[in-house]
Amino acid sequence: MGLTDNIMSHSEAWHFSQLGRLIERADKTSRIVDVKYFILLPSIWDVNTPFDDIQWGALLHSASGFEMYRRTYGLISPDDVVAFLLLDREFPRSVLYCLSKAEESLHAISGTPLETFSNPAEQRLGQLRAEFVYAQVKQVLSTGLHEFLDAFQTKLNLVGADIHKTFFALRPVNGESTNGETTDVGEV
């Protein structure tokens, strides 16, 4: 990020770069939280033990968030770690932060004002961000963190597909098919 921020004009290309980076970061953060919560803990007996705290601390370190978390929350608590990595509005590696900044870049590309949409990618990303804005960690945990994150990853993949369709997919232009032949107006 630092290099592109320092040497690249903050034009459409920069926003596409940001968009891709932020979507990938949101995905990776959700995956490391899911792995910790779902796989890494070897036994239910280890929950709320020093071993569990070490693993949650390692998770925070892997997201470069240990110091920021400690300043915000103090002692390590699984619920607070999940809230911090998924729902924090200020931490640059939290899922919500990434979705918010990705949405800003997407709207900068299209020129559509925030809180509105002009294409499916903006609509889907806005809906996904809103889910995180209004989510509460207790509710997420009680309904199942793995299920919540799995559904998130599926929705994020759909955002990526919509971005591709909106900005990169080949489409006929001015009555031409993709192989260069002229088509009727209603035919594509």
Side-chain angles (χ1 to χ4, degrees):
M1 176 183 143
L3 190 59
T4 57
D5 278 349
N6 292 329
I7 65 168
M8 194 172 182
S9 295
H10 288 204
S11 62
E12 184 177 273
W14 182 84
H15 282 290
F16 272 116
S17 173
Q18 291 292 97
L19 181 60
R21 184 182 58 79
L22 290 160
I23 287 173
E24 181 179 10
R25 182 177 284 175
D27 177 66
K28 298 306 178 210
T29 298
S30 73
R31 289 180 189 279
I32 64 171
V33 171
D34 193 27
V35 165
K36 163 56 182 122
Y37 204 78
F38 193 69
I39 296 172
L40 287 182
L41 193 62
S43 165
I44 193 71
W45 308 111
D46 290 326
V47 173
N48 294 323
T49 66
F51 181 68
D52 195 33
D53 291 344
I54 290 168
Q55 286 192 329
W56 284 108
L59 172 66
L60 287 166
H61 278 292
S62 70
S64 301
F66 185 79
E67 295 301 322
M68 201 79 246
Y69 171 87
R70 293 295 297 255
R71 285 184 198 150
T72 305
Y73 292 97
L75 296 176
I76 292 178
S77 155
D79 290 9
D80 290 341
V81 172
V82 170
F84 180 69
L85 291 176
L86 297 184
L87 307 176
D88 193 274
R89 294 170 190 261
E90 303 296 324
F91 179 59
R93 296 193 183 274
S94 81
V95 172
L96 176 56
Y97 181 93
C98 291
L99 294 175
S100 298
K101 294 301 181 182
E103 186 178 30
E104 288 175 17
S105 280
L106 184 59
H107 282 270
I109 292 164
S110 70
T112 306
L114 284 169
E115 306 300 327
T116 65
F117 64 92
S118 65
N119 60 64
E122 290 172 342
Q123 182 182 25
R124 195 179 304 269
L125 183 54
Q127 289 170 333
L128 188 54
R129 182 195 54 81
E131 284 181 38
F132 276 76
V133 166
Y134 294 104
Q136 295 179 329
V137 74
K138 293 286 186 197
Q139 187 178 26
V140 168
L141 294 173
S142 69
T143 58
L145 180 61
H146 172 70
E147 292 75 13
F148 177 81
L149 293 173
D150 194 47
F152 163 71
Q153 290 161 3
T154 299
K155 292 172 188 174
L156 194 61
N157 287 339
L158 293 172
V159 168
D162 283 343
I163 290 169
H164 173 77
K165 287 180 213 168
T166 301
F167 297 104
F168 301 107
L170 295 177
R171 295 181 290 231
V173 178
N174 298 331
E176 288 187 10
S177 69
T178 55
N179 63 6
E181 296 174 4
T182 304
T183 61
D184 292 336
V185 174
E187 182 184 324
V188 178

